[in-house]
Structures are given as structure tokens and as C-alpha cells.
Amino acid sequence: MTGLRAELLPRWDIFEEHLDEATFLWARREQCLVSPLFDLQETGEEEARLVAHLDALAEAGGVVTRKLAEPALEEDEPARVSAAAYVLLAERGRDAAGLLLKALEEGDTARHAAIQGALELWEEPGWAERLAPLSASPLPALKALALEVTAFHGESLDADTLASLAANGELAVRVSALGSARLLPEAARAALVRAALASPEPAVRLAGIELGLLGGMRAAWSACQELAGVRCAERARAWVLLALGGGEKALEVVLRGLEAKESRHQALWALGFSGQVSAAEACIAWMAEDPPTSLLAAEAFCAITGLRLEGPYVGTSPEEQELPPLEEDDLEADLSPRPEQALPVPAADAIADWWLGARRQFDPQKRYLYGEPFDGRVLLAALAQAPMRRRHVLALELALRSGGALRVRTRGRVSRQYHELKEASGARQRISSQSFDALMSR
């Protein structure tokens, strides 16, 4: 082989390194999105590194994507599948759809989620048309994926099709169809909400509740309060909605959730979004417990009061506990670290002393977010600066309080999120600060 021909061949070691780095950084970005430590700016810096490696692969073109990206779609590492799918989209655009559809049809749940992540990060119009084959798939998971991706990009199927899917599909399809219906005209949404609220399935009722709250429907708010009292997996989300929109009375059911060990962590998570003084005081008592209870209690308290968990307010980590005897160990337990494990341990006594002095600055009749009386400006500031893991709920609140007019896609590209925050700031007057009792007027 001549030196000239050798120079024309791709440096596979370089491109393999790009794919390895992209795989690592994709997984890191996923961690950032649920991190209690990373904010939007820091996540954007990580994302920029990721996209640089992805773009280098896409710009190399044909032979590189065929030999590296296409085979990677079939690998078992989700982050590698996501990176490969994104590279194919960036390099081939519309022509990549057929290849990705085939990978979806042949893949398992993990591969579906990985490719969905790439479809959402890649910004290009026309997803409803491109994913139409999945909408007709016999596999419910693929129908749901098509609905979720198109809705993520601000597109939707027609009202009749969504109504059919919401009424007759598998559970996952019905829930995804209701989530997509937020883009429909108000009258079409209202009909879907009424049907969903009558469903025996809590997951369908919850999807109908969120769709109805976007439209200001009082029936949805009543259904939310009912669901909050039902023992089911969806109760935790109903508690969050109660915390966002309810006052002291609505919060009582969430506070009762602290009494049971199995629901305590869900209740603490919800209380942190309530902004209520009573919720902050309830959290104080749980900071002296062992992690993760103490970590979640402190996180919720700080989200209400604005206390920064640093310096004298950080305690020492408890001694590592001994492993249980093998016969008592749960060998099927999920041992992957949870985001809250990265939270600092609170110094419970120091925080309680701080609260004794700061308490008089907080009016029990008001709602607070990071120590400031709640309004649209404070909500947008939190969306710009709060830890990533809390922003998903704050974005939901923005949508609900603007009647669906304002949206920040907290799993989307960071540059897009900044653009959406700028748009929301320019329409801040559309963000209501009323309780949901007053806001739900239809």
C-alpha cells in the first residue's frame, strides 16, 4: 500500500476513541439530568463536550458510520446505543429513520429508551411523519415511544387518532396518547380528560389529571386530591401536584405520608415543592435520621427556605454500615447509586438553630421557593439555577401555571432550554401564582 493511499484511510483508533468518549459523556449527561449537584450551566458544559465527539463522528461520514455507528446500535450498553443513533441522525438526517426504526423493532426496552434519548436530543422537524410506522406498530412500547418523541418536539397526531389510542390502546399507549394530547385544541382535550378521569387505571387517571390541569379543569384538580389518598404507584406524583397547587389543607395528606416508612421519602420529595412553612418545619424533624431520609429532608427544607447546605450546616457522613449476612441480603435489589446519595449530610442541630432565627422572616400564609415569596420571576430563576433533578417538576409547574403556553424541555438540548427560558421570561405575566383551587376555573 502506498503512503498516499494509507493517508486517505480513516484513523480508526481516533474515531473509536471519539465513540468511546461519546459513550462515556452520554452516560454522564444522563446522570447530570437527575443530579442534585449539577445545574443547567454545568450540564451544558458536559453536553458541549459530548456533542463535539458526536459531531466529529458524523462529519467523518459514510465508511466511519457504517463500521462504527451502525454496529453500535446492536450493543448492550445504552449510552453507546444512544451515541450511535445520534451520529446516524446527524450524518444521514431523514435517511437514518429506516435504520433506527429497524433497530427499535428488533430491540428490547433498554434499546428503545436509548434510541428515544437520541431522537429527543436531535432537533429536526417532521417526527410525526417519520415515526408514523411506529404509530401503527403491533408493539405497544413502540407506539408509546412514537407518541412521546413527537410530543417532545412539539408535534402531535390528529385528534381522532389520539382519541382512539387513548381509549383503546394498551396502558402505556393510552398514557402516552394523553400526554401528547396537550397540543390539541381545548375542546378535544376536555373530552379526553373526562374519559381518562373515569378510568379504573390510576396511571390513566393521572395522565388525565395532568392534561386537565393544563386546561384549568376543576374536575382534574378534584381527581388529583382523590388519587392522593389512594395506595398506588401514582400517588407520589399526585402528592407533588398537591404540593405545587394546594395550600395548607391540601398538604395534610402529604404530611401524613411521613408517618409510614414506605411513603416517607416520596412525601419529603413532594414537600420540597410546596413552599409551605409547615412543610419546612416538618422536614426539620427528619434531618436527624439516617440517610437517605436525612438527605431528602434537608434537600426539601433548603428548596423552601433557601438555606445553602454548606459550611457549618453540613454534617459528617455516618460510618459505613456492615454488610448484612448473606442469607438476609436481597440479591435482586438494585444496587446502582441513586441521585440523592450525592447530597451532603445535614448538620441537623445547626440547621434547627438557623431556623429558630430565620423562622420569623417567613409568612405562613405565603408560599416560598428557595427563600423567596413565590411568583413567576422566582420560578423562572429557579429553572435557570436550581439543581437539575428538581427542574423537571419546576418545568411542570411552569406549564400548569401558564395553561400550557410556556414550556421548558428539561431533558432537551441545553441551548434549547435557554431559548425556552428566554421566551418564558418575555411572557412572565402568563404565569399565575394562584392556588389551583382558584386557577382551576373551568
Side-chain angles (χ1 to χ4, degrees):
M1 181 179 293
T2 66
L4 179 60
R5 289 185 62 194
E7 289 176 4
L8 294 176
L9 291 175
R11 284 286 306 277
W12 292 112
D13 57 332
I14 293 176
F15 291 113
E16 286 169 353
E17 184 176 350
H18 278 307
L19 184 55
D20 289 342
E21 286 295 312
T23 299
F24 169 78
L25 290 167
W26 195 290
R28 184 165 173 80
R29 179 182 181 273
E30 289 294 311
Q31 294 169 348
C32 287
L33 292 176
V34 294
S35 172
L37 304 180
F38 277 73
D39 61 20
L40 187 60
Q41 179 181 340
E42 292 163 333
T43 300
E45 292 168 358
E46 295 294 320
E47 185 178 282
R49 294 172 58 203
L50 164 64
V51 172
H53 288 288
L54 295 172
D55 285 347
L57 287 165
E59 288 168 6
V63 65
V64 171
T65 53
R66 282 196 302 275
K67 292 198 69 170
L68 289 180
E70 289 186 25
L73 283 179
E74 300 178 6
E75 295 191 25
D76 293 330
E77 190 174 1
R80 199 169 187 85
V81 174
S82 296
Y86 183 96
V87 168
L88 290 168
L89 286 165
E91 194 257 322
R92 300 183 186 177
R94 284 181 170 269
D95 293 337
L99 190 62
L100 295 182
L101 292 181
K102 183 175 182 290
L104 285 166
E105 289 168 349
E106 296 175 353
D108 57 10
T109 302
R111 186 161 298 153
H112 294 168
I115 294 176
Q116 180 170 347
L119 293 173
E120 290 177 348
L121 190 63
W122 175 250
E123 294 188 339
E124 188 175 303
W127 284 112
E129 175 189 349
R130 221 169 303 174
L131 296 178
L134 291 187
S135 301
S137 170
L139 299 176
L142 297 188
K143 286 184 179 180
L145 184 149
L147 288 165
E148 290 166 10
V149 171
T150 53
F152 183 89
H153 289 292
E155 302 175 31
S156 179
L157 302 180
D158 63 89
D160 290 341
T161 302
L162 279 180
S164 176
L165 291 171
N168 302 315
E170 298 286 338
L171 181 60
V173 178
R174 289 153 66 193
V175 170
S176 297
L178 288 164
S180 299
R182 62 177 182 77
L183 300 166
L184 296 178
E186 182 181 325
R189 292 202 315 264
L192 290 174
V193 170
R194 286 191 291 270
L197 297 184
S199 171
E201 295 284 354
V204 174
R205 292 207 303 279
L206 177 61
I209 285 167
E210 294 195 7
L211 182 60
L213 293 179
L214 279 173
M217 294 180 65
R218 184 169 296 279
W221 182 230
S222 297
C224 179
Q225 294 173 75
E226 292 174 7
L227 186 60
V230 177
R231 285 181 175 271
C232 62
E234 291 71 24
R235 179 178 66 173
R237 181 71 164 186
W239 284 355
V240 169
L241 293 170
L242 284 187
L244 294 179
E248 292 283 346
K249 185 69 176 174
L251 207 60
E252 289 178 1
V253 67
V254 187
L255 289 168
R256 286 198 297 272
L258 293 172
E259 299 168 5
K261 183 178 180 180
E262 63 270 17
S263 61
R264 187 169 299 141
H265 293 171
Q266 296 170 343
L268 287 169
W269 173 251
L271 289 174
F273 295 99
S274 71
Q276 301 289 338
V277 172
S278 60
E281 293 183 328
C283 291
I284 288 280
W286 296 102
M287 286 188 216
E289 297 294 313
D290 291 333
T293 301
S294 61
L295 308 182
L296 291 167
E299 180 189 33
F301 178 85
C302 293
I304 298 169
T305 65
L307 175 69
R308 296 182 66 87
L309 209 59
E310 57 189 22
Y313 306 115
V314 176
T316 55
S317 299
E319 293 296 324
E320 186 175 343
Q321 297 180 350
E322 293 185 8
L323 292 174
L326 183 61
E327 63 271 14
E328 298 179 13
D329 200 7
D330 182 359
L331 299 180
E332 296 184 2
D334 182 3
L335 299 180
S336 56
R338 294 184 58 80
E340 58 265 23
Q341 290 178 276
L343 288 163
V345 174
D349 290 343
I351 294 173
D353 288 342
W354 176 85
W355 181 239
L356 283 175
R359 170 69 175 78
R360 66 179 66 92
Q361 302 171 21
F362 291 83
D363 182 349
Q365 304 303 314
K366 292 183 179 179
R367 183 174 175 231
Y368 293 87
L369 181 57
Y370 290 106
E372 295 192 60
F374 181 89
D375 60 17
R377 178 192 64 80
V378 172
L379 176 58
L380 291 174
L383 269 167
Q385 301 167 11
M388 294 298 287
R389 94 187 204 106
R390 304 191 68 80
R391 295 178 67 252
H392 308 297
V393 174
L394 296 176
L396 171 64
E397 178 159 21
L398 175 67
L400 295 177
R401 292 192 171 279
S402 65
L406 303 178
R407 181 185 183 211
V408 174
R409 286 168 281 190
T410 50
R411 294 192 62 86
R413 193 181 286 261
V414 169
S415 59
R416 167 59 59 184
Q417 292 190 51
Y418 277 122
H419 177 74
E420 290 167 341
L421 281 169
K422 184 176 180 181
E423 287 186 334
S425 182
R428 199 170 65 202
Q429 71 281 1
R430 304 189 71 165
I431 307 173
S432 172
S433 298
Q434 293 180 301
S435 71
F436 285 2
D437 280 326
L439 189 58
M440 302 300 141
S441 57
R442 298 192 182 106

